[in-house]
Amino acid sequence: MPSPAFLKPGRAATPMAFVRAIVQGYTHYGVDPAAALAQAQIAPQELAREGARVTAAQFEALNAHAMQELDDEALGWFSRRLPWGSHGMLCRASLSSPDLGVAIKRWCRHHRLLTEDITLALRVADGIATVAVTEHRALDPALREFCLVSTLRFLHGYACWAIDSRISLRAASFPFAPPPHRDAYPLMFSGELHFDAARASYSFDERYLALPMQRDEPALRTMLKRALPLTVLQYRRDRLLGQRVRELLSARAGGPGTGEALAAELHLSSRTLHRQLSEEGTSLQALKDEVRREQAIDQLRRTTRPIKQIALAVGFRNEKSFSRAFRGWTGVAPGAFRQGAS
């Protein structure tokens, strides 16, 4: 199964603390980790070096070797093993779901068959979906962070793969103090980060839950052979991005809608925002025009406000530029449109 790292393959950004957690799993089973470290090309002396990092590829090699050698995909986290293939079973149990919401609910339900030390649950309220982990016994302090991060990353990575879309997180929370390697967390979890929380969780737009599953059994078999791309290479496409940008523009009511400001609200770089919109076949300017057109038509139909005021309200500098744009959208001037709609 995939590692919890969500980092660029060639970049040494995965915290050594996660490597030490895997080594602790070897200690738990009384097995020498030397062969696993050697296969991952991690020098044993690096384990104790403050601030040391490994690449995602090194971590994947270590993680996969350890899970198979110890025959425990939980690597000692829980009171009983999760034999090799356990997470593959979770993937298969969710794969036939009609949409992501059902898939996540199945994942959470079937996870209880593997362990009762923790449970996962999906909750939806006020348009926000939240996946939360509840701990039912005290986890080993040396393994707890890695366990909770991995549990959330496994499900999030699978969910993105299953619907073939980036799932942009609104927030992620963790029930421990910010670790020394806190700077690695934004690479694993987008959105706002909260530490010292009541439980581990992440939240996202509820509308992702309605997206249909895009994968089949052959695709799953291919993914499970080497799952690094699942958790390391973030999905470029966000199937809800255009809709979310449109909503943010509408909420601004004629205010500034620069790429930089919108990207910041979406936790993306401006370059990434423009690229992803282009991949959807649209652009920020096209979405701005669409929103302005809808707002202008609505005000012309419902109000008697002067056209100059409507122009300013929907983000134009003056009535002349608004009239020119409106004629391009509809083929008629604003005044003529209002008369025809009355």
Side-chain angles (χ1 to χ4, degrees):
M1 268 304 294
S3 77
F6 205 16
L7 314 173
K8 294 182 179 179
R11 180 181 175 185
T14 302
M16 190 61 72
F18 293 166
V19 175
R20 289 194 291 269
I22 293 179
V23 170
Q24 182 66 26
Y26 274 90
T27 301
H28 175 80
Y29 286 112
V31 178
D32 186 354
L37 290 170
Q39 181 166 325
Q41 299 182 338
I42 300 173
Q45 60 268 27
E46 286 291 293
L47 293 173
R49 186 167 68 85
E50 185 177 354
R53 305 288 173 100
V54 298
T55 67
Q58 285 178 293
F59 191 79
E60 182 207 19
L62 176 66
N63 200 61
H65 187 105
M67 286 181 175
Q68 293 181 70
E69 185 174 21
L70 301 177
D71 192 27
D72 182 5
E73 292 190 359
L75 299 171
W77 306 335
F78 303 135
S79 52
R80 68 183 187 189
R81 295 175 188 263
L82 268 59
W84 178 249
S86 294
H87 283 95
M89 181 199 72
L90 289 180
C91 293
R92 284 191 168 85
S94 302
L95 193 63
S96 61
S97 304
D99 56 48
L100 181 62
V102 174
I104 292 178
K105 289 177 182 178
R106 287 182 181 177
W107 182 288
C108 295
R109 184 169 65 251
H110 291 126
H111 194 275
R112 296 187 64 180
L113 301 176
L114 302 179
T115 180
E116 293 185 346
D117 293 352
I118 65 170
T119 54
L120 290 83
L122 172 66
R123 299 181 180 87
V124 180
D126 300 323
I128 302 297
T130 301
V131 173
V133 180
T134 300
E135 301 169 60
H136 298 288
R137 77 169 182 89
L139 301 173
D140 185 333
L143 302 174
R144 185 175 181 237
E145 179 196 3
F146 183 45
C147 168
L148 296 175
V149 167
S150 298
T151 299
L152 293 179
R153 280 296 316 125
F154 285 166
L155 178 50
H156 185 240
Y158 173 75
C160 292
W161 172 84
I163 62 172
D164 190 24
S165 170
R166 178 196 295 262
I167 299 175
S168 300
L169 300 182
R170 296 289 186 89
S173 302
F174 306 94
F176 43 76
H181 46 273
R182 177 180 182 172
D183 63 312
Y185 272 72
L187 303 175
M188 297 185 288
F189 299 93
S190 59
E192 296 181 2
L193 294 172
H194 304 283
F195 293 93
D196 294 313
R199 57 174 53 89
S201 67
Y202 62 74
S203 59
F204 53 93
D205 193 310
E206 174 191 8
R207 288 172 295 185
Y208 285 107
L209 299 178
L211 295 180
M213 302 288 276
Q214 299 287 332
R215 307 294 188 173
D216 56 16
E217 176 63 27
L220 178 62
R221 288 197 297 268
T222 299
M223 183 272 284
L224 291 176
K225 289 178 181 177
R226 185 170 181 267
L228 177 64
L230 176 64
T231 54
V232 175
L233 301 176
Q234 295 195 33
Y235 274 79
R236 295 164 68 95
R237 179 182 184 185
D238 182 341
R239 294 178 183 272
L240 292 185
L241 182 61
Q243 190 171 353
R244 294 167 65 209
V245 170
R246 192 179 295 106
E247 290 171 353
L248 287 174
L249 289 170
S250 298
R252 289 174 180 270
T258 65
E260 290 76 9
L262 288 166
E265 290 193 48
L266 294 165
H267 306 287
L268 299 171
S269 69
S270 178
R271 182 179 179 182
T272 298
L273 172 62
H274 286 289
R275 187 191 69 239
Q276 290 187 20
L277 289 176
S278 177
E279 290 170 356
E280 285 192 31
T282 187
S283 67
L284 181 56
Q285 187 59 52
L287 292 175
K288 284 183 179 180
D289 288 343
E290 180 181 326
V291 169
R292 286 173 171 175
R293 176 181 178 276
E294 291 174 355
Q295 291 176 339
I297 287 175
D298 181 64
Q299 293 201 38
L300 287 168
R301 282 175 171 167
R302 292 193 308 104
T303 75
T304 58
R305 297 177 69 183
I307 291 175
K308 182 177 181 179
Q309 289 185 14
I310 294 176
L312 297 175
V314 299
F316 285 87
R317 293 182 179 180
N318 53 59
E319 182 178 347
K320 183 178 180 180
S321 60
F322 168 63
S323 296
R324 184 168 55 249
F326 193 86
R327 187 183 294 274
W329 296 334
T330 65
V332 298
F337 180 89
R338 170 175 273 170
Q339 289 178 358
S342 60

